[in-house]
Amino acid sequence: MIRISLRRHPRFFRPGFIGPILLVIIWSLAHTAHWVTPRLLPGPLETFNAFLQSIADGSLWGDFIQTVLRTVYSFMIAAIIGIPLGITIGSSKLIYRSVEFIIDFFRSTPATALFPLFLLIFGIGEESKIAIAAFSACLVIVFNVAYGVMNARQTRILAAKVMGASQWRILRDVLLYESLPQTFIGLRLGVSYALVVIIVAEMFIGSSTGMGHRIIDAEQVYNLAEMYSSIIVTGCIGYLINFIFLIVERHFIKWSGK
């Protein structure tokens, strides 16, 4: 009877639920056992009540939407610039070797260190937040797209050349499709980078809206339940965006690895 019940209701026994449940249990134990002082670590129920209150009074939605919009704008700019640039760089080893140091240098430089530069160029406003996030995401996308193009299967490229395909046809019909799996990896990493930079920018670059501003504002007035609930919402944004990209990737790149 137990085996029949498990087969009929497999959705209740998914391993993916184990991690969140364990996290809530450990969180509850840490709060009730005073492993961390309750003044610094509110319990899950208190945090959840703060989350419900922010939804009920409507204060969460505006910040949530602003953060998502800024992330989407910066990611779109990064993708529009990064994908064709990565294909161009990856299609020629000479070009790649020429710009490899520049890409790796800025990709390894923390985005927060570039805040003053972007503030000087774009000023204190939406433009600077979106620009620095797009820049960080673009570097990741360029690197992964170029890597995907450079590691395209040579047998398919040779087959296209044997059949008389031009360089443009090889680039469009072979290299572009061969690089798609690595391109999607770059896109997922890029949107994650964009979200992280947007949150940090909302904290420290004169923002009056957004989840980053909401987190730092709650911390300054010592509303820790609100702070933790906002952090969790921010994590959920990142998780959902990554989950959407995984679904799209699995749908459009079923041939990956074949």
Side-chain angles (χ1 to χ4, degrees), residues 12-231:
F12 296 115
F13 299 94
R14 290 178 181 174
F17 293 127
I18 297 176
I21 292 173
L22 285 176
L23 179 61
V24 173
I25 292 174
I26 295 172
W27 184 2
S28 299
L29 287 174
H31 175 72
T32 56
H34 292 186
W35 294 346
V36 180
T37 174
R39 292 179 297 175
L40 299 178
L41 183 66
L45 184 59
E46 185 180 352
T47 303
F48 185 67
N49 287 335
F51 169 71
L52 293 179
Q53 180 62 36
S54 64
I55 292 179
D57 60 27
S59 62
L60 177 66
W61 295 112
D63 293 325
F64 178 87
I65 292 172
Q66 285 298 317
T67 295
V68 171
L69 287 177
R70 287 167 182 153
T71 302
V72 170
Y73 290 153
S74 59
F75 171 73
M76 289 177 62
I77 294 171
I80 291 171
I81 297 173
I83 292 176
L85 187 59
I87 293 174
T88 303
I89 293 173
S91 61
S92 170
K93 289 187 177 181
L94 177 61
I95 298 176
Y96 180 82
R97 296 303 179 190
S98 301
V99 300
E100 183 180 14
F101 171 78
I102 298 174
I103 295 174
D104 284 341
F105 176 81
F106 282 105
R107 190 170 60 89
S108 303
T109 303
T112 50
L114 299 175
F115 277 0
L117 174 63
F118 279 82
L119 284 173
L120 289 173
I121 297 173
F122 296 98
I124 299 177
E126 293 297 305
E127 293 82 3
S128 59
K129 299 180 186 66
I130 294 173
I132 183 64
F135 178 77
S136 300
C138 185
L139 291 174
V140 179
I141 294 172
V142 167
F143 179 83
N144 280 275
V145 173
Y147 182 82
V149 172
M150 291 182 65
N151 287 274
R153 294 189 180 183
Q154 295 299 316
T155 53
R156 292 178 179 174
I157 298 175
L158 290 174
K161 289 181 179 179
V162 169
M163 290 185 285
S166 64
Q167 285 296 116
W168 166 247
R169 288 293 300 276
I170 293 173
L171 179 64
R172 186 190 68 184
D173 298 334
V174 180
L175 291 178
L176 179 60
Y177 285 98
E178 281 286 296
S179 66
L180 277 180
Q182 193 67 34
T183 296
F184 266 90
I185 293 175
L187 291 175
R188 284 195 286 117
L189 290 173
V191 74
S192 298
Y193 272 55
L195 177 61
V196 170
V197 175
I198 287 293
I199 294 296
V200 177
E202 288 172 347
M203 288 180 175
F204 302 111
I205 303 183
S207 180
S208 59
T209 58
M211 296 304 300
H213 168 76
R214 187 179 186 84
I215 292 170
I216 202 70
D217 190 51
E219 184 268 338
Q220 289 176 347
V221 299
Y222 212 70
N223 187 355
L224 297 188
E226 180 68 37
M227 185 188 76
Y228 280 101
S229 67
S230 299
I231 292 173

Side-chain angles (χ1 to χ4, degrees), residues 222-244:
Y222 212 70
N223 187 355
L224 297 188
E226 180 68 37
M227 185 188 76
Y228 280 101
S229 67
S230 299
I231 292 173
I232 292 172
V233 171
T234 302
C236 290
I237 295 174
Y239 179 84
L240 288 175
I241 291 175
N242 186 70
F243 183 70
I244 292 171

